[in-house]
Amino acid sequence: LRLCAITAARAFVRATVIGTSGLLAERGGVALGASTTLSVIRGTVSVSVATGEPFVAATDGMLLRAGMTVRTDADTYAVLTYFEGSTVSLDPSTTVVIEALGANPDGSTTISMDEIAGKTWHSVTHLANSHSKYDVHTPTAVATVRGTKFEVDVDTNEQGEVRTTVATTEGAVATSKAPTVAEPSPPAVLVTAGQQVSVTHTEPLPKPVPQPVPERAVSVTADAPDGLRAAP
C-alpha cells in the first residue's frame, strides 16, 4: 500500500508541476523558464549549489539551476521538473548533477544531467526540434533520448564494478559507453520499449535484452468493503 501511495504521489506531483513549470517569471532570483522545480515527496533532499560546495537541506518547490547537485537520503523520494515539462523521479540514495539547462535562440532546448549513483525514472516530453537534446551521463554510460520514458540505474555488479542499466518503457534511448580520450565518440545501441542494457567500464557494449519480469507486483482493490486494500 505504501508503494502504491508513493506511485500515486509521484503522478500527482508530475501533473501539478508540469502545469506550472512553463511560466516565465522570477522567483527567488531564478527565471522559471530556465529552471528546474524540485518536489519533495517524502524524506530529506540536500542540494549543493556548485562542485565542492557544502550540501544544505532543500525545500519543496525549490528552483534549481545548472551546476547544482541534488542528493536524496535513504528513505527519500523526489521529482525534478524541467522548464519544458520533462520530469525525473529520484529514488532513495540517488545523486544527480544538473549539468546543462536552457532554451536556445533557435527554439531548441538543452538538458543534460550526470547521475552519480542511484536510480532515476525519466518522462521526456517531445523535444522542440531536431537540435534539442536530453542526455543522461553516468560513470560508465551516456543515454540520449528523443521523447520517451526510461529508467537509469547506477549500481555495483558482482565484480565490484560500477554498472549502468538503462531500461526503456516507451520510445527509444540511444545508449553508449562513457566517452574516453581513446574513444571520444563511442558507438551506441538503441534500447527500445521493453528492453534494457547494462554497461560497465571493462566489458564491451552489449546488445539490449528484454527486461526481466518483475518478481512481485502489488494490486489495489478499490471496491473492498473497508476501502483500499493492497495485496501481493
Side-chain angles (χ1 to χ4, degrees):
L1 183 57
R2 183 176 65 180
L3 176 61
C4 296
I6 292 171
T7 302
R10 282 179 174 173
F12 173 77
V13 170
R14 289 189 188 118
T16 302
V17 178
I18 287 173
T20 60
S21 62
L23 296 175
L24 293 176
E26 293 286 337
R27 183 190 303 167
V30 180
L32 284 178
S35 65
T36 298
T37 304
L38 170 67
S39 299
V40 181
I41 296 178
R42 189 184 74 184
T44 302
V45 178
S46 301
V47 173
S48 171
V49 298
T51 302
E53 293 296 319
F55 281 87
V56 297
T59 56
D60 184 53
M62 183 177 183
L63 296 181
L64 310 177
R65 55 174 172 75
M68 289 185 171
T69 301
V70 182
R71 183 175 67 190
T72 59
D73 282 359
D75 61 347
T76 298
Y77 292 87
V79 174
L80 305 180
T81 301
Y82 290 118
F83 63 96
E84 40 72 271
S86 297
T87 60
V88 185
S89 296
L90 278 62
D91 272 10
S93 302
T94 294
T95 301
V96 299
V97 182
I98 304 171
E99 287 292 342
L101 181 69
N104 306 311
D106 63 357
S108 64
T109 56
T110 298
I111 294 173
S112 182
M113 68 184 303
D114 284 351
E115 183 170 334
I116 309 303
K119 182 182 292 186
T120 57
W121 189 88
H122 303 252
S123 179
V124 182
T125 62
H126 180 70
L127 301 186
N129 57 39
S130 60
H131 298 292
S132 298
K133 72 172 187 176
Y134 186 110
D135 296 335
V136 181
H137 298 250
T138 77
T140 63
V142 177
T144 303
V145 306
R146 288 211 174 274
T148 192
K149 294 181 172 67
F150 68 104
E151 179 183 271
V152 179
D153 187 3
V154 180
D155 65 354
T156 304
N157 65 12
E158 295 78 6
Q159 289 73 42
E161 298 177 298
V162 175
R163 172 180 57 190
T164 298
T165 301
V166 177
T168 304
T169 303
E170 179 182 300
V173 180
T175 303
S176 68
K177 298 190 69 168
T180 63
V181 174
E183 194 174 24
S185 300
V189 293
L190 197 63
V191 185
T192 58
Q195 293 184 325
Q196 70 177 39
V197 66
S198 294
V199 186
T200 65
H201 282 301
T202 58
E203 296 295 326
L205 181 67
K207 294 181 179 180
V209 298
Q211 296 177 34
V213 177
E215 295 182 0
R216 186 176 183 182
V218 176
S219 61
V220 177
T221 303
D223 59 351
D226 54 351
L228 292 175
R229 178 181 300 167

